[in-house]
Amino acid sequence: GHAVGIDHELLVAAEGETRDRQAVMIRDALGVAVSGPALALADVLRSVGPGSRLPVLDLAIPALRELPQANRDRLVRLVKVLIEADRRMSLSEFVLITLCRRHLGRDTKGAPPVKHRSLRTVSNEVASVVSMLVHAGRSRPEAFERAMALLELNGQLLRPPAKLDFSAIEAALYELKLLAPLAKPAMIKAFLAVVMDDNGVTIAEAELMRAICAALDTPLPPILEAPPEAP
């Protein structure tokens, strides 16, 4: 697929013609029985405040998991197509597609295979994710240096937003998922240090951390279990 830039503004709800066009695409792809609940969910997600988006999605996931796997696959593909239509992806859209893939994708038995025993072999991928977190939270550039130093990964530079398109972050998260389980907690701690850089976690940062942990098959840090402060 083509590279889609991750846009750091919040998702603007589709209205009018755009929403109607999307509704037709959803009905064509999923059929009326599935598209009705899917569109109702989209309307609820659009109308609730940012802090309620993921709790509402949590309520919907069990029902969507009851669908046959072929329908779940079509739904995830469709979400990605709708998001990529304007060649930009907001952070909340990135969270949505990442969580949909994790919870509606094909069930895999057991833990992911281990490809990387040490963080040193994935320092480029770590730097990409840390850079995304720095830009997403508008943290100070020093937060990047501190996170990399915490992991004893030298020689990496903060990536500019232009280098952090969806395909780059997707590829980085895939490699980091294949890291040895014992190496993951230190990495998550370093990621958390970036989002805590300004002594608080916004809803967007908490959602982003949740998506990253889901993509990496690793538990969410306990501090993020509580609802974050609104920005």
Side-chain angles (χ1 to χ4, degrees):
H2 55 263
V4 177
I6 297 180
D7 178 9
H8 293 269
E9 296 307 312
L10 285 175
L11 172 63
V12 177
E15 302 290 349
E17 279 183 35
T18 305
R19 199 253 181 220
D20 293 342
R21 197 164 60 245
Q22 288 179 345
V24 170
M25 287 175 70
I26 290 168
R27 272 196 293 272
D28 287 350
L30 299 177
V32 176
V34 179
S35 68
L39 287 167
L41 170 64
D43 285 336
V44 172
L45 287 173
R46 187 173 291 121
S47 63
V48 299
S52 303
R53 273 197 302 258
L54 290 194
V56 169
L57 188 62
D58 285 340
L59 291 173
I61 289 289
L64 294 173
R65 283 182 66 84
E66 294 296 316
L67 294 171
Q69 186 60 59
N71 280 11
R72 281 158 58 180
D73 290 344
R74 289 215 306 274
L75 181 58
V76 172
R77 277 200 306 273
L78 179 64
V79 168
K80 190 162 184 279
V81 166
L82 291 172
I83 286 173
E84 289 186 344
D86 58 1
R87 299 183 66 88
R88 293 170 66 147
M89 182 174 293
S90 72
L91 285 172
S92 50
E93 287 173 327
F94 173 78
V95 168
L96 176 65
I97 187 60
T98 303
L99 292 177
C100 282
R101 279 184 166 167
R102 173 70 180 82
H103 295 300
L104 301 177
R106 295 183 177 274
D107 291 318
T108 51
K109 304 296 178 202
V114 173
K115 177 178 173 184
H116 305 287
R117 296 278 165 197
S118 158
L119 283 165
R120 284 190 295 278
T121 59
V122 285
S123 63
N124 285 327
E125 288 79 5
V126 171
S128 291
V129 176
V130 170
S131 296
M132 177 176 70
L133 287 167
V134 168
H135 297 306
R138 294 177 169 77
S139 301
R140 292 164 296 183
E142 304 91 85
F144 176 86
E145 308 295 341
R146 279 200 302 277
M148 300 307 284
L150 208 59
L151 299 174
E152 299 181 356
L153 297 176
N154 304 315
Q156 293 290 344
L157 297 172
L158 178 67
R159 272 66 166 154
K163 296 275 186 189
L164 300 174
D165 60 44
F166 176 63
S167 57
I169 296 298
E170 191 178 38
L173 289 173
Y174 178 78
E175 289 300 320
L176 295 177
K177 181 180 179 179
L178 305 181
L179 190 61
L182 289 176
K184 287 182 181 178
M187 179 175 67
I188 297 299
K189 191 175 176 183
F191 292 167
L192 190 58
V194 175
V195 302
M196 299 290 285
D197 179 55
D198 48 6
N199 298 318
V201 181
T202 65
I203 289 168
E205 288 172 323
E207 287 186 350
L208 196 50
M209 279 297 297
R210 179 170 162 189
I212 288 168
C213 288
L216 300 183
D217 254 351
T218 192
L220 193 66
I223 195 170
L224 294 179
E225 297 284 2
E229 297 298 318

Short mmCIF file of all heavy atoms in Angstrom, two decimals, residues 9-57:
data_model
loop_
_atom_site.label_atom_id
_atom_site.label_comp_id
_atom_site.label_asym_id
_atom_site.label_seq_id
_atom_site.Cartn_x
_atom_site.Cartn_y
_atom_site.Cartn_z
N GLU A 9 -3.35 16.05 14.23
CA GLU A 9 -4.55 16.72 14.71
C GLU A 9 -5.59 15.66 15.08
O GLU A 9 -5.55 14.54 14.59
CB GLU A 9 -5.13 17.64 13.62
CG GLU A 9 -4.21 18.78 13.24
CD GLU A 9 -3.75 19.60 14.43
OE1 GLU A 9 -4.58 19.98 15.27
OE2 GLU A 9 -2.54 19.82 14.55
N LEU A 10 -6.54 16.03 15.91
CA LEU A 10 -7.60 15.08 16.27
C LEU A 10 -8.49 14.81 15.06
O LEU A 10 -8.63 15.63 14.18
CB LEU A 10 -8.45 15.65 17.41
CG LEU A 10 -7.79 15.60 18.79
CD1 LEU A 10 -8.67 16.30 19.80
CD2 LEU A 10 -7.54 14.17 19.23
N LEU A 11 -9.08 13.64 15.07
CA LEU A 11 -9.98 13.23 13.98
C LEU A 11 -11.15 14.19 13.87
O LEU A 11 -11.81 14.50 14.85
CB LEU A 11 -10.50 11.82 14.30
CG LEU A 11 -11.58 11.25 13.41
CD1 LEU A 11 -11.07 11.10 11.99
CD2 LEU A 11 -12.03 9.90 13.94
N VAL A 12 -11.40 14.68 12.67
CA VAL A 12 -12.58 15.52 12.42
C VAL A 12 -13.67 14.60 11.90
O VAL A 12 -13.48 13.87 10.93
CB VAL A 12 -12.26 16.62 11.38
CG1 VAL A 12 -13.51 17.44 11.09
CG2 VAL A 12 -11.14 17.51 11.89
N ALA A 13 -14.80 14.61 12.56
CA ALA A 13 -15.89 13.69 12.18
C ALA A 13 -16.35 13.98 10.76
O ALA A 13 -16.48 15.13 10.36
CB ALA A 13 -17.05 13.86 13.15
N ALA A 14 -16.58 12.91 10.02
CA ALA A 14 -17.10 13.07 8.66
C ALA A 14 -18.56 13.51 8.72
O ALA A 14 -19.34 12.98 9.48
CB ALA A 14 -16.98 11.74 7.92
N GLU A 15 -18.90 14.48 7.91
CA GLU A 15 -20.28 14.99 7.89
C GLU A 15 -20.82 14.96 6.46
O GLU A 15 -20.06 14.83 5.51
CB GLU A 15 -20.31 16.45 8.40
CG GLU A 15 -19.75 16.65 9.80
CD GLU A 15 -20.63 16.06 10.90
OE1 GLU A 15 -21.77 15.68 10.59
OE2 GLU A 15 -20.17 15.97 12.04
N GLY A 16 -22.13 15.15 6.34
CA GLY A 16 -22.76 15.37 5.04
C GLY A 16 -22.41 14.34 3.99
O GLY A 16 -22.53 13.14 4.19
N GLU A 17 -21.93 14.85 2.84
CA GLU A 17 -21.67 13.99 1.69
C GLU A 17 -20.63 12.92 2.00
O GLU A 17 -20.76 11.77 1.58
CB GLU A 17 -21.16 14.84 0.51
CG GLU A 17 -22.25 15.54 -0.27
CD GLU A 17 -21.67 16.30 -1.45
OE1 GLU A 17 -20.68 15.82 -2.03
OE2 GLU A 17 -22.20 17.37 -1.78
N THR A 18 -19.57 13.31 2.74
CA THR A 18 -18.50 12.35 3.04
C THR A 18 -19.06 11.18 3.84
O THR A 18 -18.81 10.02 3.54
CB THR A 18 -17.38 13.02 3.87
OG1 THR A 18 -16.95 14.17 3.16
CG2 THR A 18 -16.21 12.09 4.09
N ARG A 19 -19.87 11.51 4.83
CA ARG A 19 -20.46 10.47 5.68
C ARG A 19 -21.38 9.57 4.85
O ARG A 19 -21.38 8.35 4.99
CB ARG A 19 -21.21 11.13 6.83
CG ARG A 19 -21.47 10.17 8.00
CD ARG A 19 -22.92 9.81 8.04
NE ARG A 19 -23.18 8.91 9.16
CZ ARG A 19 -23.99 7.88 9.08
NH1 ARG A 19 -24.61 7.63 7.94
NH2 ARG A 19 -24.21 7.11 10.11
N ASP A 20 -22.19 10.16 3.97
CA ASP A 20 -23.09 9.37 3.12
C ASP A 20 -22.31 8.42 2.21
O ASP A 20 -22.69 7.27 2.02
CB ASP A 20 -23.97 10.30 2.26
CG ASP A 20 -24.95 11.12 3.11
OD1 ASP A 20 -25.18 10.73 4.26
OD2 ASP A 20 -25.44 12.14 2.61
N ARG A 21 -21.20 8.93 1.65
CA ARG A 21 -20.37 8.11 0.76
C ARG A 21 -19.76 6.94 1.53
O ARG A 21 -19.71 5.81 1.06
CB ARG A 21 -19.28 8.99 0.13
CG ARG A 21 -18.62 8.37 -1.10
CD ARG A 21 -17.85 9.41 -1.89
NE ARG A 21 -16.80 10.05 -1.12
CZ ARG A 21 -16.77 11.33 -0.78
NH1 ARG A 21 -17.76 12.13 -1.14
NH2 ARG A 21 -15.78 11.84 -0.09
N GLN A 22 -19.30 7.24 2.76
CA GLN A 22 -18.72 6.19 3.58
C GLN A 22 -19.78 5.14 3.94
O GLN A 22 -19.51 3.94 3.94
CB GLN A 22 -18.12 6.78 4.86
CG GLN A 22 -16.84 7.57 4.61
CD GLN A 22 -16.28 8.18 5.88
OE1 GLN A 22 -16.98 8.26 6.90
NE2 GLN A 22 -15.05 8.63 5.84
N ALA A 23 -21.02 5.61 4.23
CA ALA A 23 -22.10 4.69 4.59
C ALA A 23 -22.37 3.70 3.45
O ALA A 23 -22.58 2.50 3.69
CB ALA A 23 -23.35 5.48 4.94
N VAL A 24 -22.36 4.21 2.22
CA VAL A 24 -22.59 3.34 1.05
C VAL A 24 -21.46 2.31 0.94
O VAL A 24 -21.72 1.12 0.70
CB VAL A 24 -22.69 4.19 -0.25
CG1 VAL A 24 -22.68 3.28 -1.47
CG2 VAL A 24 -23.97 5.03 -0.22
N MET A 25 -20.20 2.75 1.14
CA MET A 25 -19.06 1.83 1.07
C MET A 25 -19.19 0.74 2.13
O MET A 25 -18.92 -0.43 1.89
CB MET A 25 -17.75 2.59 1.29
CG MET A 25 -17.32 3.45 0.11
SD MET A 25 -15.84 4.43 0.50
CE MET A 25 -14.59 3.16 0.58
N ILE A 26 -19.62 1.14 3.34
CA ILE A 26 -19.75 0.18 4.44
C ILE A 26 -20.85 -0.83 4.12
O ILE A 26 -20.68 -2.04 4.31
CB ILE A 26 -20.04 0.93 5.76
CG1 ILE A 26 -18.78 1.70 6.20
CG2 ILE A 26 -20.47 -0.04 6.87
CD1 ILE A 26 -19.01 2.68 7.33
N ARG A 27 -21.99 -0.35 3.60
CA ARG A 27 -23.09 -1.27 3.26
C ARG A 27 -22.69 -2.23 2.16
O ARG A 27 -22.99 -3.42 2.21
CB ARG A 27 -24.34 -0.48 2.87
CG ARG A 27 -25.22 -0.11 4.06
CD ARG A 27 -26.62 0.32 3.62
NE ARG A 27 -26.55 1.58 2.86
CZ ARG A 27 -26.60 2.78 3.43
NH1 ARG A 27 -26.70 2.90 4.75
NH2 ARG A 27 -26.56 3.86 2.70
N ASP A 28 -21.99 -1.71 1.13
CA ASP A 28 -21.55 -2.57 0.02
C ASP A 28 -20.57 -3.64 0.50
O ASP A 28 -20.61 -4.78 0.04
CB ASP A 28 -20.86 -1.73 -1.07
CG ASP A 28 -21.87 -0.89 -1.86
OD1 ASP A 28 -23.08 -1.12 -1.68
OD2 ASP A 28 -21.43 -0.01 -2.63
N ALA A 29 -19.70 -3.26 1.42
CA ALA A 29 -18.67 -4.19 1.87
C ALA A 29 -19.19 -5.22 2.86
O ALA A 29 -18.76 -6.37 2.86
CB ALA A 29 -17.51 -3.42 2.50
N LEU A 30 -20.13 -4.82 3.72
CA LEU A 30 -20.51 -5.67 4.84
C LEU A 30 -21.92 -6.22 4.76
O LEU A 30 -22.28 -7.12 5.51
CB LEU A 30 -20.35 -4.90 6.16
CG LEU A 30 -18.94 -4.41 6.51
CD1 LEU A 30 -18.98 -3.61 7.79
CD2 LEU A 30 -17.99 -5.59 6.64
N GLY A 31 -22.76 -5.67 3.88
CA GLY A 31 -24.15 -6.09 3.86
C GLY A 31 -24.94 -5.35 4.94
O GLY A 31 -24.38 -4.82 5.89
N VAL A 32 -26.25 -5.33 4.79
CA VAL A 32 -27.10 -4.51 5.67
C VAL A 32 -27.05 -4.99 7.12
O VAL A 32 -26.99 -4.19 8.05
CB VAL A 32 -28.56 -4.52 5.15
CG1 VAL A 32 -29.47 -3.76 6.09
CG2 VAL A 32 -28.63 -3.89 3.76
N ALA A 33 -27.02 -6.32 7.34
CA ALA A 33 -27.10 -6.86 8.70
C ALA A 33 -25.93 -6.38 9.56
O ALA A 33 -26.08 -6.09 10.74
CB ALA A 33 -27.13 -8.38 8.66
N VAL A 34 -24.74 -6.30 8.95
CA VAL A 34 -23.55 -5.89 9.70
C VAL A 34 -23.36 -4.38 9.63
O VAL A 34 -22.93 -3.75 10.59
CB VAL A 34 -22.29 -6.61 9.14
CG1 VAL A 34 -21.05 -6.16 9.91
CG2 VAL A 34 -22.45 -8.11 9.26
N SER A 35 -23.70 -3.77 8.48
CA SER A 35 -23.43 -2.34 8.31
C SER A 35 -24.30 -1.48 9.22
O SER A 35 -23.87 -0.43 9.68
CB SER A 35 -23.62 -1.90 6.86
OG SER A 35 -24.98 -1.97 6.48
N GLY A 36 -25.53 -1.94 9.54
CA GLY A 36 -26.41 -1.17 10.43
C GLY A 36 -25.76 -0.92 11.78
O GLY A 36 -25.56 0.24 12.18
N PRO A 37 -25.37 -1.99 12.50
CA PRO A 37 -24.68 -1.80 13.78
C PRO A 37 -23.36 -1.04 13.64
O PRO A 37 -23.01 -0.23 14.50
CB PRO A 37 -24.43 -3.23 14.27
CG PRO A 37 -25.45 -4.06 13.57
CD PRO A 37 -25.69 -3.40 12.24
N ALA A 38 -22.62 -1.28 12.54
CA ALA A 38 -21.33 -0.60 12.35
C ALA A 38 -21.53 0.92 12.23
O ALA A 38 -20.80 1.71 12.81
CB ALA A 38 -20.61 -1.14 11.11
N LEU A 39 -22.55 1.33 11.45
CA LEU A 39 -22.82 2.76 11.28
C LEU A 39 -23.36 3.38 12.57
O LEU A 39 -23.03 4.52 12.91
CB LEU A 39 -23.82 2.97 10.13
CG LEU A 39 -23.25 2.74 8.73
CD1 LEU A 39 -24.37 2.65 7.70
CD2 LEU A 39 -22.27 3.85 8.36
N ALA A 40 -24.18 2.60 13.31
CA ALA A 40 -24.68 3.09 14.60
C ALA A 40 -23.51 3.33 15.55
O ALA A 40 -23.45 4.34 16.26
CB ALA A 40 -25.66 2.09 15.20
N LEU A 41 -22.55 2.39 15.54
CA LEU A 41 -21.35 2.54 16.38
C LEU A 41 -20.57 3.78 15.98
O LEU A 41 -20.13 4.56 16.83
CB LEU A 41 -20.47 1.29 16.25
CG LEU A 41 -19.07 1.38 16.89
CD1 LEU A 41 -19.16 1.56 18.39
CD2 LEU A 41 -18.25 0.13 16.55
N ALA A 42 -20.42 4.00 14.66
CA ALA A 42 -19.67 5.17 14.17
C ALA A 42 -20.33 6.46 14.65
O ALA A 42 -19.65 7.41 15.06
CB ALA A 42 -19.60 5.14 12.65
N ASP A 43 -21.66 6.49 14.62
CA ASP A 43 -22.38 7.70 15.07
C ASP A 43 -22.19 7.94 16.56
O ASP A 43 -22.04 9.07 17.01
CB ASP A 43 -23.87 7.59 14.73
CG ASP A 43 -24.14 7.79 13.24
OD1 ASP A 43 -23.31 8.44 12.58
OD2 ASP A 43 -25.16 7.30 12.73
N VAL A 44 -22.21 6.84 17.34
CA VAL A 44 -22.00 6.99 18.79
C VAL A 44 -20.57 7.48 19.06
O VAL A 44 -20.35 8.40 19.84
CB VAL A 44 -22.25 5.65 19.52
CG1 VAL A 44 -21.83 5.75 20.99
CG2 VAL A 44 -23.72 5.26 19.44
N LEU A 45 -19.60 6.89 18.38
CA LEU A 45 -18.20 7.30 18.56
C LEU A 45 -18.01 8.76 18.20
O LEU A 45 -17.21 9.48 18.81
CB LEU A 45 -17.27 6.42 17.70
CG LEU A 45 -17.06 4.98 18.17
CD1 LEU A 45 -16.26 4.21 17.15
CD2 LEU A 45 -16.37 4.93 19.53
N ARG A 46 -18.76 9.22 17.18
CA ARG A 46 -18.63 10.60 16.73
C ARG A 46 -19.23 11.57 17.75
O ARG A 46 -18.76 12.68 17.92
CB ARG A 46 -19.34 10.75 15.37
CG ARG A 46 -19.15 12.08 14.71
CD ARG A 46 -19.74 12.06 13.30
NE ARG A 46 -18.98 11.20 12.42
CZ ARG A 46 -19.47 10.14 11.78
NH1 ARG A 46 -20.72 9.80 11.92
NH2 ARG A 46 -18.71 9.42 10.99
N SER A 47 -20.29 11.12 18.45
CA SER A 47 -21.03 12.05 19.31
C SER A 47 -20.48 12.12 20.73
O SER A 47 -20.68 13.11 21.41
CB SER A 47 -22.51 11.67 19.35
OG SER A 47 -22.66 10.38 19.92
N VAL A 48 -19.79 11.08 21.18
CA VAL A 48 -19.30 11.10 22.57
C VAL A 48 -18.00 11.91 22.64
O VAL A 48 -17.33 12.15 21.65
CB VAL A 48 -19.05 9.68 23.12
CG1 VAL A 48 -20.34 8.89 23.12
CG2 VAL A 48 -17.96 8.94 22.34
N GLY A 49 -17.64 12.31 23.85
CA GLY A 49 -16.39 13.05 24.05
C GLY A 49 -15.19 12.15 23.85
O GLY A 49 -15.33 10.92 23.88
N PRO A 50 -14.00 12.75 23.67
CA PRO A 50 -12.79 11.95 23.42
C PRO A 50 -12.54 10.88 24.48
O PRO A 50 -12.13 9.78 24.17
CB PRO A 50 -11.67 13.00 23.42
CG PRO A 50 -12.34 14.29 23.11
CD PRO A 50 -13.73 14.19 23.65
N GLY A 51 -12.83 11.19 25.75
CA GLY A 51 -12.55 10.23 26.81
C GLY A 51 -13.44 9.00 26.79
O GLY A 51 -13.16 8.01 27.45
N SER A 52 -14.53 9.05 26.02
CA SER A 52 -15.47 7.92 25.97
C SER A 52 -15.31 7.06 24.73
O SER A 52 -15.95 6.02 24.61
CB SER A 52 -16.91 8.44 26.03
OG SER A 52 -17.11 9.22 27.18
N ARG A 53 -14.47 7.50 23.77
CA ARG A 53 -14.37 6.77 22.49
C ARG A 53 -13.95 5.32 22.70
O ARG A 53 -14.57 4.40 22.18
CB ARG A 53 -13.39 7.48 21.54
CG ARG A 53 -14.02 8.56 20.71
CD ARG A 53 -13.13 8.91 19.54
NE ARG A 53 -11.81 9.34 19.97
CZ ARG A 53 -11.41 10.60 20.03
NH1 ARG A 53 -12.24 11.56 19.67
NH2 ARG A 53 -10.20 10.91 20.43
N LEU A 54 -12.85 5.11 23.44
CA LEU A 54 -12.36 3.74 23.59
C LEU A 54 -13.27 2.89 24.48
O LEU A 54 -13.48 1.71 24.17
CB LEU A 54 -10.91 3.72 24.09
CG LEU A 54 -9.88 4.22 23.08
CD1 LEU A 54 -8.47 3.85 23.51
CD2 LEU A 54 -10.13 3.69 21.67
N PRO A 55 -13.85 3.44 25.57
CA PRO A 55 -14.82 2.63 26.31
C PRO A 55 -15.99 2.16 25.45
O PRO A 55 -16.45 1.01 25.58
CB PRO A 55 -15.28 3.58 27.43
CG PRO A 55 -14.10 4.46 27.66
CD PRO A 55 -13.49 4.66 26.30
N VAL A 56 -16.48 3.03 24.55
CA VAL A 56 -17.57 2.62 23.65
C VAL A 56 -17.08 1.52 22.70
O VAL A 56 -17.78 0.52 22.46
CB VAL A 56 -18.10 3.84 22.84
CG1 VAL A 56 -19.03 3.38 21.71
CG2 VAL A 56 -18.84 4.80 23.77
N LEU A 57 -15.85 1.68 22.17
CA LEU A 57 -15.28 0.65 21.29
C LEU A 57 -15.15 -0.67 22.05
O LEU A 57 -15.43 -1.74 21.51
CB LEU A 57 -13.92 1.11 20.77
CG LEU A 57 -13.27 0.23 19.70
CD1 LEU A 57 -14.14 0.17 18.45
CD2 LEU A 57 -11.88 0.75 19.34
#
